[in-house]
Amino acid sequence: MPSIADIEDEIVDELSMFDNWMDRYGYIIEIGKGLPALDAQYKTDAHRVHGCQSMVWLNTFEQDGVVCYEADSDAFITKGLIGLLVRVLSGQPAQDIADAPLTFIDRAGIRKHLSPNRSNGLGAMVATMKRQALAQLIKREGQDLPAQTAS
């Protein structure tokens, strides 16, 4: 599996191929369209990313020692943004996700081309994904701890 930094570099390179932001937005929208459908059972308030103007749902689970994400949104650009984050972070170790500075967002110029509301929403998506990765790490480490016995 490529590292988070490697995937970030790929995205920066891909977005740099476009001469203008309308084409880059189109590419980001296509990333969102490529997301697998999110099962309706995850389109609930418990799976909603709060802090986004659009509806964004995120399912997080651990599989084979890495954190996996599934996501959806009701807005095209937002769905593309969460799609980029899923591409970068899904399949990575929880600690790597928690520590990732996610520099591609600024290196590719994504944040500066978003409205303030979308930029805040992007920050909420990143924070939620990192928080859920840490929760998976804590859950796994808790399972690895021996049960305490009463003395």
Side-chain angles (χ1 to χ4, degrees), residues 114-144:
L114 295 175
S115 68
N117 284 339
R118 272 212 182 97
S119 184
N120 290 340
L122 178 59
M125 288 185 260
V126 168
T128 300
M129 293 175 90
K130 286 180 170 247
R131 189 171 49 255
Q132 290 182 353
L134 284 172
Q136 292 294 324
L137 184 64
I138 291 166
K139 180 179 170 185
R140 187 178 69 239
E141 287 180 356
Q143 291 173 347
D144 293 343

Side-chain angles (χ1 to χ4, degrees), residues 1 9 15 32 56 60 84 91 96 104 114 138 142:
M1 176 80 181
D9 289 343
L15 287 172
V56 179
T60 308
L84 288 173
D96 292 358
F104 83 99
L114 295 175
I138 291 166

Side-chain angles (χ1 to χ4, degrees), residues 31-115:
I31 295 286
K33 288 180 180 177
L35 279 176
L38 184 64
D39 193 292
Q41 71 177 330
Y42 301 118
K43 291 186 177 182
T44 64
D45 196 56
H47 289 88
R48 187 165 171 234
V49 176
H50 297 279
C52 295
Q53 184 175 9
S54 305
M55 299 293 286
V56 179
W57 301 275
L58 183 67
N59 180 40
T60 308
F61 59 96
E62 188 175 52
Q63 182 176 330
D64 300 325
V66 296
V67 178
C68 299
Y69 298 100
E70 303 170 319
D72 197 1
S73 175
D74 65 348
F76 290 124
I77 292 175
T78 304
K79 187 171 181 172
L81 294 172
I82 194 71
L84 288 173
L85 293 172
V86 166
R87 178 176 164 192
V88 171
L89 298 176
S90 194
Q92 299 292 337
Q95 192 65 58
D96 292 358
I97 294 168
D99 294 340
L102 299 178
T103 60
F104 83 99
I105 295 168
D106 291 318
R107 287 189 299 140
I110 295 170
R111 191 181 320 271
K112 74 179 182 182
H113 286 91
L114 295 175
S115 68

